[in-house]
């Protein structure tokens, strides 16, 4: 099985991905794998109709081959919907599909931080962001409520 393409996120956010999938006494595991949070961030960015212009100072987060069938379909649908022609030709260049997903996920993470994670975020000296839990159960509840409210607001594929 091929690992696929490398999928990147800004180094600034890498610790957030790691913290939210780690289960330890100081913090709950909220996402099973990085791909789950990445897909959520991508859909949030797309739902808000915004993506970053470019990614700088990145770190590899995952291989595209680790995405399950549903996640891969969501990322491909977002890539198709985001092109001006709105046709399937974007699927001919898989690398472009994941670059589009990275840009939406980057902006989606910015939105997630601003609207939800800000009370739990601490900026490190090197500019990276990490999660600091005050009430660990509260963050999980907040994420569930936030995602549920997005579902009710609109369907980005209509």
């Amino acid at each position: 099985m091929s690992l696929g393409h490398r999928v990147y996120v800004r180094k600034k956010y890498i610790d957030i991905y790691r913290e939210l999938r780690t289960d330890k006494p100081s913090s709950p595991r909220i996402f099973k794998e990085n791909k789950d949070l990445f897909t959520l961030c991508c859909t949030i960015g797309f739902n808000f109709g915004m993506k970053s212009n470019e990614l700088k100072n990145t770190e590899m987060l995952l291989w595209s081959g680790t995405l399950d069938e549903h996640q891969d379909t969501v990322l491909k649908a977002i890539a198709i919907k985001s092109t001006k022609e709105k046709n399937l030709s974007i699927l001919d260049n898989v690398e472009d599909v994941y670059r589009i997903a990275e840009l939406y996920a980057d902006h989606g993470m910015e939105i997630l931080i601003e609207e939800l994670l800000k009370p739990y975020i601490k900026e490190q000296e090197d500019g990276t962001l990490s999660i600091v839990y005050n009430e660990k159960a509260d963050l999980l509840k907040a994420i569930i409520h936030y995602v549920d409210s997005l579902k009710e607001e609109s369907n980005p594929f209509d």
Side-chain angles (χ1 to χ4, degrees):
M1 179 178 134
S2 168
L3 294 175
H5 299 275
R6 294 174 184 195
V7 178
Y8 294 90
V9 296
R10 274 198 270 173
K11 283 184 184 181
K12 175 180 183 175
Y13 300 140
I14 199 73
D15 286 340
I16 293 173
Y17 279 93
R18 289 179 181 144
E19 282 291 319
L20 292 178
R21 72 168 168 72
T22 302
D23 195 17
K24 56 187 177 183
S26 63
S27 64
R29 176 186 306 169
I30 295 175
F31 294 94
K32 186 175 180 181
E33 297 182 45
N34 286 332
K35 65 183 183 171
D36 303 323
L37 178 54
F38 179 83
T39 304
L40 174 63
C41 288
C42 185
T43 57
I44 290 171
F46 183 77
N47 187 46
F48 278 78
M50 294 181 261
K51 62 182 178 180
S52 297
N53 292 326
E54 65 178 313
L55 290 181
K56 292 183 178 180
N57 199 16
T58 60
E59 187 169 316
M60 186 181 142
L61 178 69
L62 57 95
W63 289 96
S64 65
T66 64
L67 296 166
D68 66 34
E69 179 182 348
H70 302 289
Q71 292 165 329
D72 196 49
T73 300
V74 166
L75 300 184
K76 287 177 179 176
I78 287 172
I80 292 167
K81 192 83 171 173
S82 71
T83 61
K84 291 178 184 173
E85 298 83 29
K86 291 190 174 56
N87 62 41
L88 302 178
S89 66
I90 187 72
L91 299 179
D92 293 336
N93 190 340
V94 180
E95 194 77 22
D96 285 348
V97 169
Y98 296 113
R99 294 306 150 247
I100 290 168
E102 290 169 350
L103 295 172
Y104 276 115
D106 187 66
H107 194 71
M109 179 61 83
E110 290 174 9
I111 293 167
L112 195 60
I113 289 169
E114 188 60 35
E115 293 197 7
L116 179 71
L117 298 176
K118 197 176 233 179
Y120 304 98
I121 297 289
K122 178 181 180 187
E123 186 169 355
Q124 305 298 322
E125 289 180 19
D126 64 358
T128 60
L129 304 176
S130 63
I131 302 232
V132 178
Y133 293 96
N134 298 331
E135 296 292 327
K136 61 184 186 177
D138 288 346
L139 180 56
L140 179 56
K141 290 177 194 173
I143 289 174
I144 291 169
H145 177 71
Y146 181 75
V147 170
D148 193 52
S149 72
L150 287 177
K151 177 181 72 171
E152 293 172 5
E153 288 177 13
S154 68
N155 179 349
F157 298 106
D158 285 340

